[in-house]
Amino acid sequence: MLGRLSAMLRGPASLPDASEVRDAHALVRTICSEAIAASDHWQKKLSDSPAWLALKDAAPDVQVAVTMAAAGGYQDATGSRSGNNYHAEALCTAMLTQLLRRNLPFSASVLARLLSMWTQQRYGLEFGFPGRSVLSAVERFAEQQPLDGELRSVLTTLRKMANRGNYGGAPTKAIREIADRIDRLLDGTANVPALPAGAFATGWQAFVVTRPAAEQPHWQALAVQCASSAGKTQPSGKWQAAGTTAMVALDQGVLTQTLIHLLASTIPDPARVDDSLDLLKGLVWLAPQLDHAALAGPVGRFAEFCFRKVPNHGARSISLGNAALWALSAMAEGPHAAAELFRLAEKIKYPSARAQIAKRLAALARNSGQSLAALEDVGLPDHGIDAAGMRVEQIGEASARIRLTATATDLAWHDAAGKPLKSVPAAVRNQHKPELAAVRKTVADIEAARAGQVARLEASWIERRDWAFADWQAHYLGHPVRRPIVAALIWDVGSTAVLPVDGRLETLDGTALIPAPDARVRLWHPLLADPATVLAWRQRIIAAGLTQPIRQAHREIYVLTDAERQTAIYSNRFAAHILRQHQFRALCLSRGWDYQLMGQFDSWSLPSRPLPAHGLTAQYQVEPVGDGAASASGILLHLASDQLRFVGADGAPVPLERIDPLLLSEVMRDCDLFVAVTSVANDPGWTDGGPGGRFGQYWLDHAFGELGQSATMRRELIARIAPRLSIAAQLEIGERTLIVTGKRHRYAIHFGSSNIQILPANRYLCIVPDGAPAESRNLALPFAGDNLVSIILAKAFLLADESRITDRTILSQL
């Protein structure tokens, strides 16, 4: 049959006649029947057909004829098509796709016929008929000769179809790519390298023209290579080699700074798709070949930004976020990129990204032969911080002084004489913009590293982490970034509680401790000390003027109650609260709990915190509130809390008495935090009881009710601070409230919710302070992170002298 077909075809410029078409269809039927009969597997393979294998060696004109036959679909011996023969139709599509990839002598008339078939298919341009493969053949044809009128006519028809998208909808990315390829064929630039259309590419072109003329072709070639990342999830070795070649002629320092600028200024918008962002994806893939120390922070921040959720759309750009994670992984042998991955493991909450980061960190630990925890200990860069916690950058005649403390990273400016300045000098703002941007990025990197280390240390209680003294001394007390944090915390060194002071370890009475060489170190927890010792350490922290980055000496403690011994496998201590779901989820994710938002219909989620060091999972049950209130996107606004329990690896509940007391206390603290922060009792808008007034009693009970453990600790702290305040004579520490005597009334500020009542009638007073007196702002609190202490004190200062109140809404309530 192959020989007869070859003899009958008259040449590549002509279409086959009727007899040639019949022979070609007969060959297609033979190939399909052989492939179908060869295997019982659902997926049929062309390679199982001897006739297909023989066709590979046939004359090119024969292969062209079979291409035409396959494009027409499977036909039986009578010439009829049967849409029910799925396997045969799939094999025809595979034949057509593979034959179009070969450099066959397709004539203009053959290509025009194939394109016409594409216009007639029922599923739009994106699916079904392999039209993009036909376009590739047309592009090869256009390399040799111009398009004739027939080809241009059918291409114009296809271009109009592309404007309509699939089924009349908005064009997808694939349709937009098809339209771009057709446009380039029609204007004669199909074989000239070009960038995809989009705002990013437009900005890139504007940047390129600012470069010296001799450099511009090299920048353009790099962009073309980077844009070829479209459709790829990660770069192949061949792609990376091509990228390396494209970068050779460019200054690596300029390229590094350009990428840093692009990462900081690009805002992916899932609501407005920009196909040319593939160019940026390719540039990110090339980051590992540039300056790791300079790029790790910007790439990490960009990854974090890409995985932030945009309402009603999801993450900003999963593709770009994944590219940034890949780049960090490729740079992770250096400390800066490894530190970014560890930071992002805590920071990014997008499920697929978290799984990818965990996978990359596990591979990094495996390749290094260390545990993840040990790898993080040795991998934190010093960010140029000196032994005094400072980094100084000279910019022009001014100096930027970055100071790292246990609770913050501060930036201060000084003039040439060393005199402090209130703000950034004008000369720096106007003449040194790149240097100023670099300093601000450095501050962001250092603060991210500091916050990440605080979170890791707080998690060490649940993770059961401890260190050999020599390792702790080298990687914690001796590390410039960790040192300020470590020096503000109490440590258990060989079962003795100590505080690092000026290079030595002091016990509670100030005695220096010289640890045994084999001593183990862990973060001290007040649950493991007697009440008198805990109180003494609190007084020591306050007397030293320390602000602990972790609420440690003043940490809330939760112990098992008789009621919980009765319920045995669950606790109701944090049940029956009305929580704001969006805030609840955000807080869950920040504390290491897994939870997804619940909608109005079929969604369900159980807040859970994996506890691998204990072989357990903590579960805090919540359910939708029956009012049905939801956001515009159908997400429920409120939840009702229920039981807290622990389950083992088999999913079976574990009795609370068998839970490690420290673990129980820390998990209960999380639940108390969820209630304290997200309960509607803190929302003045619920004074009327919420929807239908059904929760009015709940609001009253909890807005002014009994104190939880965190509120009790807040009461104790304010009781110590109050005597030192200028308004001390007007303050009284009540059982649940801070009582303030003003000129008009007496007021009670609740330690749990910060809500206010006017005494003696207990009339609610709504105040949202927009500022606070300097005295309350400048108070040195012994721990960071409890904004309610500052809010309560700010309200107290305001109410102690009502004459300072100018807000008419507040005055009308008084």
Side-chain angles (χ1 to χ4, degrees):
M1 182 181 297
L2 286 175
R4 192 175 72 176
L5 255 177
S6 182
M8 295 177 67
L9 281 170
R10 294 180 293 278
S14 304
L15 290 169
D17 62 21
S19 63
E20 295 164 356
V21 170
R22 284 195 299 271
D23 284 344
H25 277 294
L27 181 53
V28 168
R29 285 195 298 274
T30 299
I31 293 171
C32 290
S33 61
E34 289 176 350
I36 292 171
S39 172
D40 292 333
H41 195 273
W42 175 254
Q43 187 72 33
K44 306 300 182 181
K45 298 179 180 179
L46 286 173
S47 58
D48 288 335
S49 166
W52 170 256
L53 298 177
L55 180 64
K56 289 183 178 181
D57 298 322
D61 51 0
V62 174
Q63 297 186 52
V64 171
V66 174
T67 301
M68 293 293 295
Y74 183 80
Q75 297 182 7
D76 61 23
T78 66
S80 300
R81 291 199 60 183
S82 174
N84 295 326
N85 196 334
Y86 169 81
H87 291 301
E89 291 291 344
L91 287 166
C92 283
T93 300
M95 262 186 269
L96 177 57
T97 301
Q98 293 192 34
L99 288 167
L100 285 168
R101 291 173 182 165
R102 302 177 188 178
N103 192 20
L104 298 174
F106 294 113
S107 67
S109 56
V110 167
L111 292 173
R113 178 67 63 85
L114 290 171
L115 288 174
S116 295
M117 292 179 179
W118 192 15
T119 67
Q120 297 165 15
Q121 77 142 3
R122 293 171 296 176
Y123 308 108
L125 298 184
E126 186 174 353
F127 309 106
F129 191 87
R132 281 171 284 188
S133 297
V134 181
L135 276 184
S136 297
V138 176
E139 288 163 348
R140 291 194 298 271
F141 179 88
E143 292 178 11
Q144 307 300 322
Q145 55 188 295
L147 305 181
D148 64 12
E150 185 180 13
L151 266 175
R152 297 185 69 84
S153 175
V154 71
L155 283 169
T156 301
T157 300
L158 284 165
R159 184 64 181 84
K160 292 178 180 177
M161 294 177 64
N163 286 336
R164 298 193 297 269
N166 293 318
Y167 308 105
T172 63
K173 181 177 181 180
I175 294 294
R176 293 194 298 272
E177 289 174 351
I178 291 169
D180 181 61
R181 291 175 68 182
I182 294 173
D183 286 340
R184 288 161 56 74
L185 279 165
L186 290 172
D187 64 21
T189 62
N191 299 299
V192 178
L195 302 181
F200 187 87
T202 300
W204 177 268
Q205 299 286 26
F207 159 75
V208 170
V209 299
T210 67
R211 305 303 304 163
E215 287 185 17
Q216 291 182 17
H218 301 298
W219 285 102
Q220 198 67 7
L222 173 64
V224 170
Q225 169 60 24
C226 289
S228 69
S229 66
K232 300 180 176 70
T233 56
Q234 64 181 41
S236 64
K238 181 179 179 180
W239 191 97
Q240 293 178 71
T244 302
T245 301
M247 289 195 301
V248 166
L250 297 172
D251 183 281
Q252 304 298 285
V254 173
L255 186 53
T256 297
Q257 291 305 313
T258 300
L259 180 52
I260 289 173
H261 169 73
L262 291 173
L263 292 172
S265 59
T266 302
I267 303 177
D269 185 353
R272 296 178 178 84
V273 179
D274 182 356
D275 296 336
S276 65
L277 281 174
D278 283 324
L279 195 164
L280 180 57
K281 181 171 74 172
L283 287 170
V284 171
W285 281 350
L286 295 176
Q289 301 183 48
L290 299 170
D291 186 343
H292 291 190
L295 279 167
V299 170
R301 286 193 295 273
F302 187 65
E304 182 182 348
F305 182 66
C306 286
F307 285 112
R308 284 182 188 163
K309 184 180 178 182
V310 176
N312 303 319
H313 291 283
R316 282 197 171 275
S317 176
I318 295 175
S319 174
L320 288 172
N322 285 338
L325 293 180
W326 181 91
L328 288 173
S329 299
M331 297 189 287
E333 291 184 1
H336 293 82
E340 276 299 302
L341 282 174
F342 279 109
R343 183 184 72 81
L344 293 175
E346 299 291 333
K347 197 73 175 176
I348 292 179
K349 307 306 177 185
Y350 201 82
S352 64
R354 289 176 66 86
Q356 186 179 161
I357 294 170
K359 181 179 178 181
R360 295 187 186 283
L361 285 174
L364 187 62
R366 187 168 57 251
N367 294 337
S368 68
Q370 303 179 75
S371 68
L372 273 177
L375 190 63
E376 185 179 11
D377 285 350
V378 302
L380 181 67
D382 62 21
H383 291 282
I385 299 293
D386 63 21
M390 296 288 293
R391 172 172 171 171
V392 180
E393 297 286 345
Q394 195 70 32
I395 303 180
E397 295 186 353
S399 62
R401 301 187 183 183
I402 303 170
R403 179 171 176 265
L404 179 65
T405 69
T407 58
T409 305
D410 299 318
L411 174 61
W413 293 90
H414 293 71
D415 63 16
K419 180 182 178 181
L421 302 173
K422 292 183 178 180
S423 60
V424 181
V428 172
R429 283 199 309 270
N430 299 328
Q431 302 170 24
H432 299 278
K433 291 181 180 180
E435 294 90 340
L436 176 59
V439 165
R440 286 171 172 166
K441 289 184 177 65
T442 297
V443 172
D445 289 343
I446 295 172
E447 174 55 22
R450 185 206 65 81
Q453 293 307 304
V454 170
R456 292 295 295 150
L457 282 173
E458 187 172 21
S460 70
W461 283 315
I462 283 182
E463 294 171 359
R464 289 178 163 172
R465 283 212 68 190
D466 65 355
W467 299 263
F469 177 73
D471 291 339
W472 176 81
Q473 191 173 37
H475 302 311
Y476 281 81
L477 188 59
H479 195 286
V481 175
R482 293 188 179 112
R483 185 185 297 113
I485 302 169
V486 170
L489 296 171
I490 306 165
W491 296 87
D492 182 322
V493 180
S495 299
T496 300
V498 297
L499 183 70
V501 179
D502 297 330
R504 70 179 201 158
L505 304 178
E506 291 188 1
T507 62
L508 184 57
D509 62 6
T511 304
L513 174 71
I514 301 177
D518 61 348
R520 304 295 296 182
V521 182
R522 62 178 176 172
L523 193 61
W524 178 86
H525 195 287
L527 180 68
L528 306 179
D530 62 83
T533 300
V534 173
L535 179 59
W537 273 116
R538 290 176 183 172
Q539 293 169 342
R540 171 83 185 268
I541 294 298
I542 292 174
L546 289 176
T547 299
Q548 294 193 293
I550 299 169
R551 192 167 179 160
Q552 186 190 29
H554 292 80
R555 200 169 190 82
E556 306 89 345
I557 294 174
Y558 304 80
V559 296
L560 208 60
T561 64
D562 290 338
E564 287 159 344
R565 291 188 179 90
Q566 290 293 321
T567 55
I569 61 172
Y570 63 88
S571 169
N572 276 327
R573 196 182 309 195
F574 309 102
H577 289 277
I578 309 300
L579 313 178
R580 296 178 294 248
Q581 182 176 205
H582 288 83
Q583 291 90 334
F584 174 73
R585 179 178 183 269
L587 192 53
C588 275
L589 297 183
S590 71
R591 301 295 299 175
W593 290 69
D594 298 324
Y595 178 70
Q596 299 301 316
L597 291 172
M598 291 194 280
Q600 289 176 304
F601 303 105
D602 57 354
S603 61
W604 179 84
S605 185
L606 175 62
S608 304
R609 178 167 183 174
L611 306 164
H614 302 264
L616 299 169
T617 298
Q619 298 176 342
Y620 183 34
Q621 296 176 340
V622 295
E623 59 185 23
V625 170
D627 60 31
S631 67
S633 58
I635 300 300
L636 295 166
L637 297 182
H638 303 107
L639 304 170
S641 65
D642 204 337
Q643 300 172 357
L644 167 68
R645 65 178 65 210
F646 295 81
V647 298
D650 59 356
V654 177
L656 297 180
E657 287 190 319
R658 287 172 45 194
I659 303 300
D660 175 66
L662 180 55
L663 173 64
L664 179 71
S665 181
E666 285 300 300
V667 172
M668 285 190 167
R669 183 178 185 272
D670 275 355
C671 295
D672 196 358
L673 187 65
F674 295 154
V675 172
V677 173
T678 72
S679 170
V680 299
N682 298 326
D683 185 353
W686 274 60
T687 54
D688 60 356
R694 290 186 292 125
F695 302 104
Q697 191 59 48
Y698 167 79
W699 193 89
L700 285 173
D701 289 346
H702 293 280
F704 300 102
E706 292 185 10
L707 302 184
Q709 194 63 31
S710 60
T712 300
M713 189 64 65
R714 196 173 297 121
R715 177 186 181 277
E716 293 178 10
L717 176 61
I718 292 176
R720 293 194 184 94
I721 294 173
R724 307 202 307 266
L725 302 179
S726 61
I727 59 172
Q730 296 171 262
L731 302 180
E732 177 185 341
I733 305 298
E735 182 181 354
R736 301 179 183 179
T737 60
L738 175 65
I739 299 172
V740 183
T741 300
K743 295 180 180 179
R744 298 188 182 189
H745 306 283
R746 297 181 75 230
Y747 309 91
I749 310 174
H750 194 260
F751 290 118
S753 63
S754 82
N755 287 322
I756 306 171
Q757 288 179 317
I758 300 175
L759 302 177
N762 293 338
R763 181 161 50 90
Y764 175 67
L765 172 61
C766 180
I767 293 181
V768 181
D770 57 1
E775 185 178 353
S776 66
R777 288 198 309 269
N778 297 331
L779 279 173
L781 300 178
F783 52 81
D786 191 342
N787 293 331
L788 276 181
V789 173
S790 300
I791 291 173
I792 290 170
L793 292 176
K795 289 181 177 180
F797 275 97
L798 183 67
L799 295 171
D801 183 6
E802 301 101 318
S803 64
R804 293 183 301 159
I805 299 175
T806 58
D807 185 283
R808 293 183 179 180
T809 302
I810 299 176
L811 290 173
S812 67
Q813 298 177 77
L814 297 178

